[in-house]
Amino acid sequence: MRWLLFLLISLNVWAVGFLQPDEAFKPKISMIDGETIGVEIELGEKIYLYAEKLKVEDSDLKDGINFVSVKMNEAIEHEGERVFEESPAIRIKLSKNSGLSGEKSVSVKLSYQGCSSAGLCYEPTETILKIGINADNLPLGSGGNNSILKAPAVETATLTVTEPDKGAKTSETDQIASVIQGGSLWFIILSFFGFGLLLALTPCVFPMIPIISSVIVAQGAGLGTKKAFWLSVVYVLSMAVAYTIAGILAGLFGANLQAAFQTPWIITLFSLIFVVLAMSMFDLFELQIPNVIQSRITQISGQRSGIVGVAIMGFLSALIVGPCVAAPLAGALIYIGQTGDALLGGVALFALSIGMGIPLVAVGTSAGKFMPRPGVWMDTVKSIFGVMLIGVSIWMISRILDENISMMLWGALAVFVAINIGALEPIRGRCIKCHRANKKALGIIILLYGMSLLLGGMSGAKSPLHPLDPFLPNKEAVASVAQNQHKTFERITSIEELDAILADNKGKRVMVDFYADWCTACKELEEKTFSDESVKTAMDSYVLVKVDLTANDEAARAISSKYGIFGPPAILFFDEKGERTKSSDIVGFKDPQEFLKHLGAI
């Protein structure tokens, strides 16, 4: 009976208009500057806090980060008690022990109790607030390497309740990480879905277009648009699962799973798989699942085989074909790494992957339209996709080959295509506007270009757009003179090399580009952005360093971990004192105009 009476009284209390505890007290945490954390408790209408009940402590403080001082503004008198009638402003100064660097997470334990002036007092509350910090910005404390300072006594001071400086620069990845930190679930999903749609326009996704098209077309003549749509969805969902798993692991453990799949033997194996798939497109053999397995799948799903193969191809494509890191992906990884909230971070990554996959679903579904009616023309369609698969194979193997050898492979493919469309076949009779003449003209053009790629590659040329450069007079001398007018990148692979460069160049600004041969966006940065004359001129004011992560060895993982790099491309900037200006970080590709604008804002 007492419990029933208590319940009725409680229901009546909330019914008359009292705020729920989470409405009355809304604690939040933020960075005020590089070494100061700000904690506030937003109070509801007619709510106040008892000063003596407000406590701030470290919570499982790790990694050699110390609380130097904890200050808050003074309370006021209220009916004989010291209280806060407005949000208390708490400022926590931090320091670090020697040798600490990179992204770290700090947890603050906040205890408080308050009342409503209408006559209701709330139960004491404890909460843990977490925030990510950059240890590079923290001053060196007096403790040793293993000493941990407990939070000192709280001091009162005249502090104004202020938000963090809205004009202070934050990096693009940190801004995106804050979307997850402070947004609602649906806002996060929609935001990262939109980021994914934008990423679908980057070079990281382009190689997947011929893959999904070829896989769909390879299903056979009776495919149809409906089944093509569902197979495309399976491909994209598998790709999204792979990205999500890889991203969560990278956020939690700092390991780039995609980079692990870029070893030479894996790239070679996957390139050969694409060649085999291309050969099946040319009808050299039929690639299909054994009848026993095919019958079992039919019983389970009521459909023909193909689902399992499409799912496997989608999963592997995400890890091997498109290993690029962009700002939205890095932002989600930073959030996971700082908070340990793999669930919410994983939701963001999955939404990002689905956004990237929507255009692939459209491509795969449209590929199904080619298949309704069998005919000779279908062999032509399959041959086109076979050539595209060989192109993807060459593109992949180019990551581990010299550039001139890659050019020769592209040249051989061009010659193969030219001969197959009739470049060397004679045309009998007068036929100026006929279909055969048009094919022959196109074939001759492709043949000539393929031959130039072969000759250029054998002569040491490196650019498919300029295959005959070795044969042009004084071309190398002119290029050498032009190159000498600008600074070049110094290539390194370890922390020790970078530390030495920073130490030797005090008083100069340093730009560090994290690069890998298997990173598509990295190469696009070099070919489009870093080769631009205006960009070269702007970069002349920096010491230029390129960290090569291609090997993905212990040294590469160590330097990536130190600077919180989840994968290339990433560009860091260091000021004249050798300190990193994290707000200037670039993650992902930027075209020359965007890059120049970014440099101008530093």
Side-chain angles (χ1 to χ4, degrees), residues 193-438:
F193 179 80
F195 291 145
L197 288 175
L198 294 177
L199 289 178
L201 303 177
T202 66
C204 297
V205 179
F206 287 165
M208 295 184 187
I209 293 176
I211 296 174
I212 188 172
S213 301
S214 303
V215 168
I216 298 300
V217 171
Q219 296 302 309
L223 180 64
T225 305
K226 183 178 180 180
K227 187 176 180 181
F229 169 77
W230 287 113
L231 289 175
S232 303
V233 169
V234 169
Y235 180 94
V236 169
L237 286 176
S238 302
M239 181 196 76
V241 169
Y243 267 123
T244 303
I245 293 174
I248 289 174
L249 291 177
L252 292 177
F253 305 111
N256 188 351
L257 184 61
Q258 288 178 319
F261 277 82
Q262 305 309 313
T263 54
W265 73 269
I266 291 181
I267 291 177
T268 302
L269 177 61
F270 215 66
S271 296
L272 290 175
I273 290 174
F274 282 123
V275 172
V276 172
L277 291 173
M279 295 302 103
S280 70
M281 289 288 182
F282 298 140
D283 290 329
L284 296 181
F285 59 88
E286 186 174 356
L287 195 65
Q288 66 177 6
I289 296 176
N291 291 332
V292 175
I293 301 177
Q294 183 171 309
S295 300
R296 181 60 179 163
I297 294 175
T298 302
Q299 293 174 3
I300 296 174
S301 63
Q303 297 178 349
R304 290 182 55 197
S305 63
I307 294 177
V308 176
V310 170
I312 292 174
M313 188 63 70
F315 191 91
L316 293 177
S317 295
L319 297 176
I320 301 175
V321 179
C324 293
V325 173
L329 178 60
L333 299 184
I334 287 173
Y335 171 80
I336 296 172
Q338 291 178 352
T339 66
D341 189 352
L343 179 60
L344 188 56
V347 168
L349 287 171
F350 189 79
L352 178 81
S353 304
I354 294 298
M356 291 172 59
I358 290 298
L360 295 178
V361 172
V363 170
T365 304
S366 62
K369 292 183 179 180
F370 291 126
M371 308 308 295
R373 296 180 181 177
V376 177
W377 62 273
M378 282 177 51
D379 293 332
T380 303
V381 172
K382 290 176 65 177
S383 297
I384 291 173
F385 283 118
V387 170
M388 293 171 68
L389 281 177
I390 293 178
V392 172
S393 177
I394 296 174
W395 171 81
M396 286 194 61
I397 202 69
S398 296
R399 300 174 183 176
I400 58 175
L401 297 178
D402 291 337
E403 291 171 311
N404 62 312
I405 297 178
S406 299
M407 278 186 58
M408 293 169 64
L409 290 176
W410 286 114
L413 179 60
V415 171
F416 172 80
V417 172
I419 292 175
N420 274 275
I421 64 175
L424 302 182
E425 293 179 1
I427 299 178
R428 294 181 175 85
R430 298 186 60 184
C431 187
I432 298 177
K433 296 183 180 180
C434 66
H435 177 64
R436 286 180 290 121
N438 294 335

Side-chain angles (χ1 to χ4, degrees), residues 136-196:
D136 296 325
N137 296 330
L138 298 180
L140 195 62
S142 58
N145 283 338
N146 298 315
S147 67
I148 299 293
L149 302 181
K150 292 296 181 182
V154 177
E155 305 174 21
T156 58
T158 304
L159 296 174
T160 304
V161 180
T162 57
E163 296 291 329
D165 183 9
K166 299 299 184 182
K169 291 183 180 179
T170 57
S171 66
E172 187 177 4
T173 53
D174 286 336
Q175 293 173 10
I176 293 174
S178 67
V179 171
I180 310 179
Q181 183 84 38
S184 66
L185 179 60
W186 287 111
F187 179 74
I188 293 169
I189 291 174
L190 290 175
S191 298
F192 275 79
F193 179 80
F195 291 145

Side-chain angles (χ1 to χ4, degrees), residues 40 55 199 232 354 448 465 477 482 516 537 544 593-594:
E40 280 89 28
K55 295 181 180 180
L199 289 178
S232 303
I354 294 298
L448 291 175
L465 298 179
T537 302
L544 303 179
Q593 290 73 26
E594 292 175 324

Side-chain angles (χ1 to χ4, degrees), residues 503-519:
D504 293 341
N505 288 279
K506 289 293 178 64
K508 301 178 183 177
R509 296 185 296 173
V510 180
M511 186 182 101
V512 182
D513 173 35
F514 284 78
Y515 166 92
D517 289 345
W518 38 261
C519 170

